[in-house]
Amino acid sequence: MMRPRLAGMTAPKEMAEKWLRVLMPWRGGQSPPSKDPRQEEERRVKANDRGYNEKFLYADNRIKTSKYNIFTFLPVNLFEQFQRVANAYFLFLLILQLIPQISSLSWFTTIVPLVLVLTITAVKDATDDYFRHKSDQQVNTRQSQVLIKGKLQNEKWMNVRVGDVIKLENNQFVAADLLLLTSSEPYGLCYIETAELDGETNLKVRQALSVTSELGADISKLADFDGEVVCEPPNNKLDRFVGTLTWKNNKYSLDNEKLLLRGCVLRNTEWCFGLVVFAGPQTKLMQNCGRTAFKRTSIERLMNTLVLWIFGFLLCMGVILAIGNSIWEEKVGGKFRVYLLWDEVLNNAVFSGFLTFWSYVIILNTVVPISLYVSVEVIRLGHSYFINWDRRMYYSRRDMPAEARTTTLNEELGQVEYIFSDKTGTLTQNIMVFNKCSINGRTYGDIYDEFGHKVEITEKSPCVDFSFNPLRDKKFRFHDHSLVEAVKLGEPAVEEFFRVLALCHTVMPEEKNEGELMYQAQSPDEGALVTAARNFGFVFRARTPETITLCEMGKHSTYQLLAILDFNNFRKRMSVIVRNPKGQIKLYSKGADTILFDRLAPSTEDLMYTTSEHLNEFAGEGLRTLALAYKDLEEDVFAEWMVQLHEASTALDNREERLALLYEEIEQDMTLLGATAIEDKLQEGVAETIACLTLASIKIWVLTGDKLETAMNIGYSCNMLRDDMSDVFVITGHTALEVQQQLRSAKEKILGPTREIANGEKDLEKMDLYRNDSVFEETITSEYALIINGHSLAHALEADLERLLLDTACLCKTVVCCRVTPLQKAQVVDLVKRHKRAVTLAIGDGANDVSMIKTAHIGVGISGQEGMQAVLASDYSFAQFRYLQRLLLVHGRWSYLRMCRFLCYFFYKNFAFTLVHFWFGFFCGFSAQTVYDQWFITLFNIVYTSLPILAMGLFDQDVNEQNSLRHPKLYELGQLNVLFNKRQFFMCTLHGIYTSFVLFFIPYGAFSSNVRDDGSHIADQQSFAVTIATSLVIVVSVQIGLDTNYWTAVNHFYVWGSLTIYFSILFAMHSNGIFTIFPSHFPFVGTARNTLTQTGVWLVILLTTTVCVMPVLAVRFLRTDLYPTMTDKVRHTQQASRRQRPQEQNLKRVRRTSSRRSAYAFSHQEGYGELITSGRNMKVAVPVFSLLRKRGEPATGATVVPWSSGSGTREGENTQGQ
């Protein structure tokens, strides 16, 4: 037997890799394949032969999305944490402090906060990973029926192996990628739902090979099945599979239509059996899942850079002071050596300077204290709780609050520039609702008051009573009572209208119990139309290949199905030809109005114009419209047409063209009945949210697995696409060259007006520079949209075209990518991340969104109808898309503002605090003597100044939440990153240096000539230290008062409380009592009392505070008065109206003003017509008659004449709604 051809894989290497995975699993999230899929050239799988398959070391069906295990957690987590420059910096300082010759501070001042920070972060990471382990365990322990040793046995998913034959039952998830062998349906058909893969809930058809479908449910035959599959290696292409099955010396080709992918759900099929081809991490679903990356905010990355800068600045100061020490020891120190002997390790001035350098490195390290990172984590944690506690982001219908699943990304919520959104379940509810209709020139669906004025329909509006219909769908809601009255009065046009809806479709009914109908539709649109007909009294009950049975106002009628003229992307319509119970032949058609109107009889011209006006109204409201028509056929005409149809359907050449011509021939001179309007229900507040986010200069790209026209319809409904746009570019090229030409054409059309230079010549060099400038995007005055499908996107994402795609897309107001795979979603996000210095956010609700959620800077999961996979992979989660507006414009903007102000103030106060040592070095012989006592140095950041800055970082706000939502432009501050950047850091540094200079030299100058009240000298070192320390605490307290915009009781308590604590501890440390207990630690008795009782000292403190603060006040006053920002203006307005109770802005529903017809027909897909007429999806030809006889209900209708010549079905073909 042949082994799979592997490039350079040997058994010892494979075993080594296997053990290495046990000890060091991938940090990327999902567990690795047993070998690199790129090295596997082909895969060989033998059914029911584990021994053969295990030779190849294929991956088992266990999945792993966690990052750590018990053995790897500590080393891997510490490695990740020490990637943060500050942690490595503090570890280095800790090592220095353990050297007694250079350390003047105790080692515990660094190790305690360092261990605290590492522990808090590790606990948080361990908690997050625990939930990932828990989720993996839930999936891995699901049960599946596996055929082992001739018997079906229940096995956990993780124990399933490649080559196993497993049984699936209705509504079960597919455990692995399976080759469909046999099913309960005729011809080996089965129906699946692929919502986890592409977000679509409509059914898709898969069909087994005829040779394997004959195995049926016979366990003995299935156990003896020993076919061998040779196929492509694991890959992420969801729509492609190539392989062959070898069995009984025959080869059979395999394609994607024979494969059931992991994540799909079996629907409308009692059971099926499949052969496992790919398992676990090698399944196509898992191959499309991105890695779990360690996300950092841009501010955190900047802080890493700034820490390096500060460390360099610290080294420079240390070198200056070390050189000063060497010079001082050489020139002056020798005179004191008789009294101040050198330590034994010292032997010259240069070595003294070397030791002094390291001493100053330790002393000056407080310029970046570790308390900074403790405070940052506390503030982030607080912001996360504010999100969790926000009642306005709580969805009461499902008892679901918003949840911040991470604490490290809050401030980046205030800097988002690009949002990548899924459509189905995220923007929409994936629920189609029959909203309005036009029948014979009259519209139905609106309600009016007694004065004839239209009334807005709400949830409280009274609904139509459908109790007259025992077969109604109780969930169906309609508000216009006049339509029910028209049905009850038996108006012919109304009856014929609903008869079209009940007959012209490919829906499959399922009735398990009497009256409990379930419709399996290939699209939600069809389901909504058939359900509407059902509620209005025209109930679709059953179908066979030759008949359709309706219950019309309580009376059963059977229609003979003569032909189905199925939908396709060129026809944009569907028709059925039936013989009604009266023996009349009718053609019923539905489709896009632009298509159907061209095929109407001239006599319906007036009705067509009236209906067209109604369609414009419907389209303007964002509804998906569809026109309905019918035609009476003569027996002889139809018989002749059927003969031609039979000839065309059996032709060997130009079959499709000949069928299309025949369809076109009979679908002429139809009579218009009216039009339907279906609402693809958006989630509440979607249009308003998108409008508001767009005003905040956030670009929203829609990435969906849906069809192009469906995505466009939603784009129009959301107001992302509008008729007044200059152009909408649709990229549908099938080759790389076509895609390149279409993208270049779009880009040239956008850039056209900017190309012409004043003298009429083209300066290419200047144009290239201009185009590369990010500001250029803002100069595009016209609005454009770009829509690209999955096949074209695959070419556009190649290395030589991706930049062209990005440039063109970024010049457009709206970008919609449709028919994209989960991996393509992640690639689009990654493209923007790599080439645009912008923060990205991805939002989705299904497993097909996990990859882009992990790839984006911020991932948001919506707990929707497609499970919790997106939520589990996300950084933030909530129940409705509309909450994104509040998350970004309120919580995100405030978090960014607070963090920036916190960092600016923190760096300022620590430069002011630390650089006093630098100035003092010039007056203490560069001896590394500290100005303050050790206890003040220890407590300054932990006690004296920690709480006020935490209060500002947690509660401050420039404007309130109402104005944050009312003025989305305020959000641009975060996008431009103007509140904390390298320039702002430089300004904070200068401010801190200035403050430290004033703090040292004003007291120094005053003390050099000042005396106490009793005439004695005041200038001892401890009195000097107390004066500077007191001045510092007061100055930074005043400064935080100036920086705080929003005062709460907590702010007041912390500021005044911190000052109280400072003076309390100061007097306690210099008291007689503490000296008595700890004489060696607190030797300076009475210093505080003696110093702070002097009037001169308080005058020095007042002068120092004034000189430090007045320049800041002057600059801020002039800047606000002369150059007010938008924030200043909004805050001024807010303060002026403070006496009035602020009212939150009520954004009215954004209505479309589009004349574009959002036709369902444009978004529909090729149906199951061929399957229905061929009977391949029917178990029994006439089950409805036996059913009706059992109920004692006579079936009325024409005699069923089997029709076999007009199906147009070629042997071996399978038309599927894919």
Side-chain angles (χ1 to χ4, degrees):
M1 296 181 182
M2 295 180 61
R3 294 177 60 87
R5 297 189 296 274
L6 302 177
M9 289 296 290
T10 62
K13 181 178 179 182
E14 292 165 354
M15 293 301 295
E17 288 180 350
K18 187 174 181 180
W19 280 105
L20 182 62
R21 286 198 309 277
V22 175
L23 297 175
M24 285 289 290
W26 278 5
R27 291 176 53 222
Q30 66 190 59
S31 60
S34 57
K35 52 197 171 188
D36 190 343
R38 292 172 295 182
Q39 296 179 350
E40 187 179 340
E41 295 180 3
E42 68 177 24
R43 167 160 294 207
R44 289 180 176 270
V45 179
K46 194 168 184 179
N48 295 311
D49 194 343
R50 283 194 173 185
Y52 174 81
N53 298 319
E54 285 175 356
K55 296 178 186 177
F56 308 136
L57 298 176
Y58 295 139
D60 59 28
N61 206 36
R62 182 192 302 269
I63 64 163
K64 181 175 182 293
T65 60
S66 55
K67 295 167 61 177
Y68 316 107
N69 60 36
I70 295 176
F71 303 105
T72 62
F73 173 73
L74 194 60
V76 173
N77 187 260
L78 287 177
F79 174 75
E80 287 180 341
Q81 290 205 58
F82 281 112
Q83 284 182 320
R84 181 183 280 176
V85 176
N87 287 342
Y89 165 67
F90 291 122
L91 180 64
F92 173 69
L93 287 176
L94 175 62
I95 295 171
L96 289 181
Q97 285 183 275
L98 296 175
I99 304 174
Q101 285 78 14
I102 61 174
S103 178
S104 56
L105 295 174
S106 300
W107 58 269
F108 67 82
T109 59
T110 298
I111 193 172
V112 172
L114 177 61
V115 170
L116 182 64
V117 169
L118 295 177
T119 302
I120 292 174
T121 306
V123 169
K124 178 175 64 68
D125 292 342
T127 303
D128 292 343
D129 208 55
Y130 167 75
F131 287 110
R132 295 192 192 101
H133 274 285
K134 193 173 179 181
S135 173
D136 292 345
Q137 187 71 7
Q138 288 175 348
V139 174
N140 289 329
T141 55
R142 286 178 179 172
Q143 295 293 313
S144 185
Q145 298 182 66
V146 184
L147 189 59
I148 300 176
K149 296 179 181 180
K151 295 181 180 179
L152 278 176
Q153 300 179 15
N154 283 330
E155 286 284 350
K156 296 178 180 178
W157 275 23
M158 61 184 177
N159 296 329
V160 173
R161 298 290 184 269
V162 171
D164 287 349
V165 174
I166 67 175
K167 180 182 180 181
L168 294 176
E169 295 180 346
N170 196 29
N171 296 325
Q172 280 189 347
F173 277 97
V174 180
D177 289 354
L178 309 177
L179 172 65
L180 180 61
L181 298 178
T182 179
S183 79
S184 59
E185 302 303 301
Y187 301 94
L189 292 172
C190 78
Y191 301 91
I192 57 172
E193 181 183 288
T194 59
E196 295 283 0
L197 298 177
D198 55 20
E200 294 186 359
T201 56
N202 51 290
L203 298 184
K204 294 181 174 63
V205 180
R206 295 292 183 264
Q207 184 174 22
L209 290 169
S210 58
V211 292
T212 61
S213 65
E214 294 172 357
L215 297 172
D218 191 326
I219 299 300
S220 60
K221 290 182 180 180
L222 288 165
D224 293 337
F225 176 68
D226 60 351
E228 184 178 16
V229 173
V230 180
C231 65
E232 61 189 17
N235 59 73
N236 54 43
K237 295 180 173 61
L238 296 174
D239 57 351
R240 179 180 177 274
F241 177 75
V242 177
T244 59
L245 171 66
T246 303
W247 188 38
K248 295 181 180 179
N249 299 321
N250 292 317
K251 279 191 175 182
Y252 308 92
S253 64
L254 303 175
D255 56 25
N256 199 53
E257 308 308 316
K258 310 291 188 294
L259 204 65
L260 306 182
L261 299 183
R262 179 183 179 126
C264 298
V265 181
L266 191 67
R267 299 290 192 201
N268 208 27
T269 307
E270 287 185 26
W271 52 262
C272 73
F273 285 86
L275 172 67
V276 177
V277 179
F278 302 120
Q282 293 180 336
T283 58
K284 291 181 181 287
L285 174 64
M286 296 305 294
Q287 290 283 321
N288 273 280
C289 287
R291 294 185 171 186
T292 303
F294 185 64
K295 295 183 178 181
R296 289 190 180 90
T297 65
S298 57
I299 286 182
E300 188 170 350
R301 291 191 294 270
L302 176 61
M303 284 171 60
N304 282 343
T305 303
L306 297 181
V307 167
L308 293 175
W309 286 13
I310 292 170
F311 187 66
F313 181 59
L314 189 154
L315 294 179
C316 290
M317 289 191 295
V319 168
I320 293 171
L321 294 170
I323 293 173
N325 177 266
S326 296
I327 295 173
W328 189 89
E329 289 289 354
E330 187 69 32
K331 301 293 185 182
V332 183
K335 301 175 183 178
F336 296 90
R337 223 158 280 147
V338 177
Y339 311 101
L340 300 174
L341 298 178
W342 268 347
D343 292 337
E344 294 179 1
V345 297
L346 289 174
N347 50 28
N348 58 58
V350 174
F351 189 62
S352 173
F354 174 77
L355 294 180
T356 301
F357 168 78
W358 294 110
S359 296
Y360 271 113
V361 167
I362 295 172
I363 291 173
L364 298 174
N365 84 83
T366 53
V367 74
V368 184
I370 198 164
S371 61
L372 167 65
Y373 291 92
V374 177
S375 301
V376 165
E377 292 301 324
V378 170
I379 290 173
R380 285 173 170 170
L381 182 64
H383 292 166
S384 299
Y385 276 115
F386 292 155
I387 293 172
N388 297 344
W389 293 339
D390 191 343
R391 297 182 63 86
R392 296 181 184 232
M393 296 171 67
Y394 169 72
Y395 193 57
S396 58
R397 293 181 186 175
R398 294 215 303 268
D399 188 27
M400 192 161 293
E403 181 183 5
R405 299 174 56 83
T406 180
T407 61
T408 58
L409 303 175
N410 295 326
E411 62 269 19
E412 201 144 71
L413 288 171
Q415 298 179 276
V416 173
E417 290 187 54
Y418 289 86
I419 292 176
F420 300 91
S421 175
D422 177 42
K423 181 193 77 70
T424 307
T426 303
L427 299 179
T428 68
Q429 300 180 35
N430 201 28
I431 298 173
M432 303 295 177
V433 176
F434 182 82
N435 194 291
K436 295 180 181 180
C437 63
S438 170
I439 304 176
N440 199 26
R442 178 181 174 183
T443 61
Y444 298 92
D446 292 320
I447 55 177
Y448 300 86
D449 59 18
E450 60 271 19
F451 303 107
H453 300 143
K454 186 185 294 186
V455 178
E456 184 177 357
I457 296 176
T458 65
E459 291 186 0
K460 296 181 180 180
S461 300
C463 294
V464 173
D465 182 11
F466 290 106
S467 59
F468 69 90
N469 182 1
L471 296 175
R472 68 188 182 280
D473 182 350
K474 296 179 181 179
K475 297 179 182 178
F476 183 83
R477 295 170 61 88
F478 199 76
H479 301 278
D480 188 354
H481 297 264
S482 61
L483 184 55
V484 175
E485 296 301 323
V487 172
K488 291 180 178 179
L489 291 174
E491 293 184 14
V494 175
E495 288 186 341
E496 203 74 350
F497 178 89
F498 285 112
R499 198 169 281 122
V500 174
L501 297 184
L503 292 170
C504 187
H505 56 78
T506 57
V507 172
M508 300 298 297
E510 184 178 0
E511 187 171 3
K512 292 184 177 179
N513 299 316
E514 174 68 26
E516 293 182 9
L517 276 171
M518 292 288 294
Y519 292 145
Q520 300 290 349
Q522 63 169 336
S523 71
D525 306 76
E526 279 215 320
L529 293 174
V530 177
T531 300
R534 169 185 173 181
N535 272 65
F536 283 98
F538 290 78
V539 184
F540 169 53
R541 293 296 298 268
R543 73 157 73 243
T544 71
E546 299 88 11
T547 64
I548 297 176
T549 301
L550 305 184
C551 179
E552 299 181 352
M553 299 302 290
K555 179 182 178 182
H556 281 85
S557 302
T558 300
Y559 292 77
Q560 183 181 353
L561 180 60
L562 302 177
I564 294 180
L565 284 58
D566 206 358
F567 174 93
N568 64 38
N569 288 324
F570 298 100
R571 286 170 40 76
K572 307 294 184 187
R573 63 191 183 278
M574 174 191 177
S575 300
V576 295
I577 301 176
V578 298
R579 189 186 301 274
N580 66 17
K582 297 179 181 178
Q584 300 168 331
I585 300 177
K586 297 267 191 176
L587 181 146
Y588 293 117
S589 184
K590 66 180 182 183
D593 56 279
T594 53
I595 303 296
L596 232 59
F597 283 1
D598 293 337
R599 290 158 179 80
L600 297 178
S603 59
T604 62
E605 185 173 349
D606 292 338
L607 177 59
M608 183 185 71
Y609 288 134
T610 304
T611 305
S612 182
E613 292 177 0
H614 296 162
L615 285 167
N616 288 334
E617 294 177 11
F618 298 157
E621 297 175 18
L623 304 177
R624 297 153 66 91
T625 57
L626 192 69
L628 307 183
Y630 77 98
K631 179 181 180 180
D632 293 316
L633 298 176
E634 298 295 334
E635 287 281 355
D636 54 344
V637 174
F638 174 70
E640 182 183 348
W641 182 83
M642 284 292 294
V643 172
Q644 297 177 19
L645 182 67
H646 176 65
E647 293 175 356
S649 63
T650 56
L652 298 178
D653 299 325
N654 303 321
R655 182 185 299 178
E656 299 298 331
E657 290 80 0
R658 293 179 65 179
L659 287 173
L661 288 173
L662 282 172
Y663 291 170
E664 184 75 21
E665 176 187 327
I666 203 165
E667 292 174 325
Q668 296 293 332
D669 296 324
M670 293 187 289
T671 302
L672 181 64
L673 284 170
T676 62
I678 295 176
E679 181 182 5
D680 186 358
K681 288 185 74 70
L682 294 174
Q683 288 195 12
E684 186 179 345
V686 165
E688 296 85 346
T689 299
I690 289 176
C692 190
L693 294 177
T694 302
L695 291 175
S697 300
I698 298 175
K699 293 187 176 181
I700 302 176
W701 293 17
V702 176
L703 311 179
T704 177
D706 264 350
K707 297 167 287 297
L708 183 144
E709 291 296 340
T710 306
M712 289 183 67
N713 289 335
I714 294 301
Y716 279 99
S717 298
C718 297
N719 247 33
M720 296 175 65
L721 299 175
R722 299 192 309 277
D723 281 346
D724 59 358
M725 282 184 160
S726 300
D727 207 341
V728 177
F729 305 108
V730 181
I731 311 298
T732 57
H734 290 87
T735 65
L737 182 60
E738 290 178 358
V739 173
Q740 183 182 34
Q741 291 172 345
Q742 290 175 352
L743 287 173
R744 281 184 175 172
S745 174
K747 186 176 180 182
E748 288 172 1
K749 185 166 184 178
I750 298 172
L751 298 177
T754 64
R755 288 187 164 194
E756 299 301 325
I757 309 300
N759 58 5
E761 298 179 357
K762 295 182 179 179
D763 188 342
L764 297 179
E765 183 178 353
K766 288 183 180 180
M767 280 304 303
D768 287 338
L769 290 173
Y770 190 43
R771 289 181 204 171
N772 290 332
D773 188 353
S774 60
V775 178
F776 178 69
E777 294 174 17
E778 303 299 326
T779 67
I780 303 294
T781 55
S782 302
E783 292 186 356
Y784 299 90
L786 178 72
I787 300 171
I788 184 168
N789 65 25
H791 294 295
S792 303
L793 186 62
H795 296 297
L797 288 172
E798 294 176 0
D800 55 338
L801 288 182
E802 64 176 15
R803 196 56 199 253
L804 176 61
L805 168 66
L806 183 65
D807 291 343
T808 308
C810 289
L811 294 172
C812 295
K813 182 86 170 177
T814 297
V815 178
V816 179
C817 302
C818 53
R819 279 298 185 201
V820 293
T821 65
L823 186 64
Q824 283 179 324
K825 291 184 178 185
Q827 289 173 334
V828 172
V829 175
D830 184 62
L831 177 65
V832 176
K833 280 181 66 177
R834 282 188 285 113
H835 296 290
K836 289 282 184 181
R837 299 178 63 181
V839 177
T840 59
L841 181 148
I843 180 170
D845 72 319
N848 58 319
D849 304 313
V850 168
S851 187
M852 74 168 179
I853 284 174
K854 290 181 177 179
T855 303
H857 291 99
I858 302 168
V860 178
I862 289 184
S863 49
Q865 299 180 3
E866 296 180 26
M868 296 293 288
Q869 289 86 347
V871 170
L872 293 173
S874 66
D875 304 304
Y876 301 88
S877 66
F878 39 70
Q880 295 278 289
F881 180 84
R882 70 179 188 270
Y883 298 147
L884 185 63
Q885 175 182 353
R886 187 169 179 84
L887 181 71
L888 299 184
L889 301 189
V890 178
H891 292 286
R893 202 182 70 83
W894 279 353
S895 294
Y896 172 73
L897 170 80
R898 292 161 178 169
M899 186 60 70
C900 291
R901 289 189 172 171
F902 164 81
L903 292 174
C904 287
Y905 176 79
F906 206 101
F907 284 121
Y908 152 74
K909 80 177 179 65
N910 278 80
F911 271 103
F913 164 61
T914 304
L915 293 188
V916 172
H917 295 300
F918 179 78
W919 308 120
F920 184 57
F922 291 91
F923 297 92
C924 68
F926 305 96
S927 61
Q929 169 67 44
T930 59
V931 177
Y932 320 108
D933 67 76
Q934 181 170 310
W935 287 104
F936 182 81
I937 294 173
T938 303
L939 297 175
F940 177 75
N941 281 302
I942 297 176
V943 177
Y944 299 152
T945 59
S946 61
L947 294 180
I949 194 173
L950 279 178
M952 183 180 74
L954 287 171
F955 303 115
D956 199 36
Q957 51 183 258
D958 51 352
V959 299
N960 59 31
E961 61 183 78
Q962 289 83 9
N963 282 315
S964 295
L965 295 171
R966 192 174 289 120
H967 302 280
K969 281 289 181 184
L970 293 172
Y971 189 80
E972 291 181 359
L973 290 176
Q975 295 171 331
L976 300 174
N977 197 23
V978 298
L979 296 184
F980 186 75
N981 48 40
K982 293 173 182 177
R983 180 180 177 276
Q984 288 295 323
F985 170 74
F986 181 68
M987 298 302 295
C988 294
T989 303
L990 289 181
H991 188 195
I993 292 173
Y994 166 76
T995 301
S996 69
F997 186 87
V998 173
L999 283 171
F1000 179 79
F1001 283 102
I1002 288 183
Y1004 181 81
F1007 273 47
S1008 61
S1009 58
N1010 196 11
V1011 294
R1012 300 173 64 85
D1013 293 343
D1014 58 4
S1016 60
H1017 208 282
I1018 197 174
D1020 62 274
Q1021 198 268 342
Q1022 280 303 308
S1023 297
F1024 183 63
V1026 167
T1027 304
I1028 293 181
T1030 304
S1031 300
L1032 172 64
V1033 171
I1034 292 176
V1035 166
V1036 297
S1037 297
V1038 172
Q1039 185 64 47
I1040 200 169
L1042 296 176
D1043 289 346
T1044 301
N1045 290 310
Y1046 184 71
W1047 283 86
T1048 66
V1050 176
N1051 293 81
H1052 282 286
F1053 179 74
Y1054 282 172
V1055 170
W1056 300 112
S1058 296
L1059 286 171
T1060 303
I1061 289 173
Y1062 165 71
F1063 285 108
S1064 300
I1065 294 178
L1066 177 66
F1067 282 102
M1069 286 194 304
H1070 295 92
S1071 65
N1072 296 330
I1074 198 77
F1075 171 74
T1076 304
I1077 302 171
F1078 304 105
S1080 60
H1081 291 87
F1082 303 97
F1084 305 104
V1085 181
T1087 301
R1089 183 175 62 254
N1090 293 334
T1091 303
L1092 297 180
T1093 55
Q1094 302 299 312
T1095 306
V1097 171
W1098 282 106
L1099 289 174
V1100 170
I1101 293 172
L1102 178 62
L1103 177 62
T1104 304
T1105 304
T1106 303
V1107 175
C1108 286
V1109 172
M1110 285 307 295
V1112 178
L1113 275 175
V1115 170
R1116 291 188 180 181
F1117 173 78
L1118 292 174
R1119 185 178 61 195
T1120 304
D1121 194 54
L1122 300 178
Y1123 307 102
T1125 63
M1126 184 176 181
T1127 304
D1128 296 328
K1129 296 174 182 177
V1130 173
R1131 189 164 57 241
H1132 176 74
T1133 304
Q1134 178 179 305
Q1135 291 171 347
S1137 59
R1138 182 173 294 175
R1139 292 183 180 179
Q1140 300 176 1
R1141 183 177 179 181
Q1143 297 180 353
E1144 187 173 1
Q1145 180 187 20
N1146 276 328
L1147 290 172
K1148 293 185 178 179
R1149 175 180 170 86
V1150 179
R1151 308 294 291 188
R1152 278 186 54 197
T1153 55
S1154 168
S1155 61
R1156 184 182 184 278
R1157 306 281 168 74
S1158 305
Y1160 130 87
F1162 284 108
S1163 62
H1164 197 50
Q1165 57 190 349
E1166 190 159 1
Y1168 304 153
E1170 191 175 357
L1171 284 173
I1172 291 170
T1173 55
S1174 67
R1176 286 185 290 161
N1177 64 336
M1178 304 294 176
K1179 294 182 181 178
V1180 184
V1182 286
V1184 67
F1185 295 104
S1186 58
L1187 178 67
L1188 294 178
R1189 291 193 188 102
K1190 287 179 183 178
R1191 295 173 184 159
E1193 298 170 350
T1196 60
T1199 303
V1200 178
V1201 180
W1203 171 70
S1204 58
S1205 62
S1207 66
T1209 306
R1210 289 173 284 179
E1211 185 177 355
E1213 280 192 347
N1214 176 28
T1215 303
Q1216 299 168 2
Q1218 176 72 294

